Amino acid sequence: MFPQVLTDGYRSFLGERLPNERRKYEMLGKEGQEPEVLLIGCCDSRVAPEVIFNTGPGQIFTIRNVANIVPPSQPDGAYHGTSSAIEFAVQALKVKHIVVLGHATCGGIKAAGFGAEPLSSGNFIGSWVSLVQPATKKLAEAGDSKDKEGYLTRLEYTMIGQSLENLMTFDFIREAVEAGKLHLHGAHFGIETGELRIRNPNTGEFESVVSRDGQSLSASALIGCTAA
């Protein structure tokens, strides 16, 4: 049988959301999509971009894979799902922003950083998360190691930065960025707290969006937090 959770969800969609957004769906069906943002996130079921950013249909073009990894450009004739979706978003849809969204307690990053199962050179996951190795090397060269508290979070942060670097290996992205037509961003979502941190492009540090740039965003909704 078709999963009941999906059937129930669709009934709710028909009764609540679709009537409220019918015109939007009709327009999207006739005119196509024109999202300004490409978001590259993790497959993790706890980190749904449309929920976190409260976006509607047609607002963000989303790519999700294990550990929100952007591979370097490899025009070798093989099958590259993530790269082809990136190319479509930039070349065909002309998005203005690319956001790499990482998250706390990422299983794919943990597998790469700590050698957690399932991980071997002979399976799909092992081959894919080997792309995290440049990030682990950067931390090691900085004197960081897996036995230090907070290592997983720092590796998640570093891999977001690595993915942003990998984006720039695509000629069409580099050219668009240099022309000022495309902007790259990094972000990290804390599942337990609901906190979103944005990567400062100048320092590489991740700053809480509730206090970034002096904005008066209330933190009272964050789990375990109270308003100042």
Side-chain angles (χ1 to χ4, degrees):
M1 290 186 62
F2 195 73
Q4 189 64 41
V5 64
L6 299 184
T7 302
D8 291 344
Y10 179 63
R11 288 197 182 103
S12 177
F13 168 76
L14 283 180
E16 299 173 14
R17 185 160 188 173
L18 182 59
N20 293 330
E21 301 190 58
R22 182 177 300 278
R23 290 185 180 178
K24 182 179 291 186
Y25 276 101
E26 290 175 347
M27 181 187 70
L28 290 169
K30 294 176 182 178
E31 300 179 7
Q33 58 174 326
E34 293 184 343
E36 292 191 353
V37 177
L38 162 62
L39 189 143
I40 303 169
C42 185
C43 295
D44 195 306
S45 61
R46 302 168 296 176
V47 190
E50 293 82 1
V51 175
I52 295 170
F53 296 104
N54 194 30
T55 55
Q59 286 189 279
I60 58 173
F61 188 83
T62 306
I63 301 170
R64 298 180 71 174
N65 61 42
V66 173
N68 46 266
I69 295 171
V70 175
S73 176
Q74 293 178 309
D76 54 12
Y79 302 104
H80 298 289
T82 294
S83 298
S84 66
I86 291 171
E87 183 179 45
F88 179 75
V90 175
Q91 298 283 66
L93 298 179
K94 307 295 184 184
V95 295
K96 298 178 181 178
H97 302 272
I98 300 179
V99 177
V100 177
L101 176 66
H103 69 92
T105 61
C106 180
I109 300 296
K110 184 176 182 181
F114 294 87
E117 296 293 341
L119 186 63
S120 77
S121 60
N123 63 27
F124 293 115
I125 296 176
S127 177
W128 178 251
V129 300
S130 69
L131 291 168
V132 180
Q133 289 178 359
T136 61
K137 183 179 179 181
K138 285 181 182 179
L139 287 182
E141 291 174 346
D144 206 343
S145 63
K146 66 183 70 175
D147 59 347
K148 294 182 179 180
E149 185 178 356
Y151 176 78
L152 178 58
T153 299
R154 291 190 294 277
L155 182 55
E156 290 162 355
Y157 288 166
T158 305
M159 190 55 211
I160 293 169
Q162 181 62 48
S163 285
L164 292 172
E165 290 181 17
N166 289 346
L167 281 170
M168 292 294 283
T169 66
F170 293 84
D171 291 340
F172 57 88
I173 288 180
R174 186 179 64 256
E175 291 168 3
V177 169
E178 292 175 350
K181 297 179 179 179
L182 181 64
H183 306 277
L184 309 184
H185 314 273
H188 184 273
F189 180 70
I191 296 173
E192 278 192 72
T193 64
E195 182 177 39
L196 182 72
R197 290 182 172 268
I198 305 297
R199 185 178 185 272
N200 185 316
N202 297 317
T203 66
E205 297 295 320
F206 283 77
E207 304 166 354
S208 176
V209 74
V210 298
S211 58
R212 184 175 58 100
D213 302 329
Q215 296 178 20
S216 58
L217 298 176
S218 173
S220 60
L222 293 179
I223 300 171
C225 295
T226 57

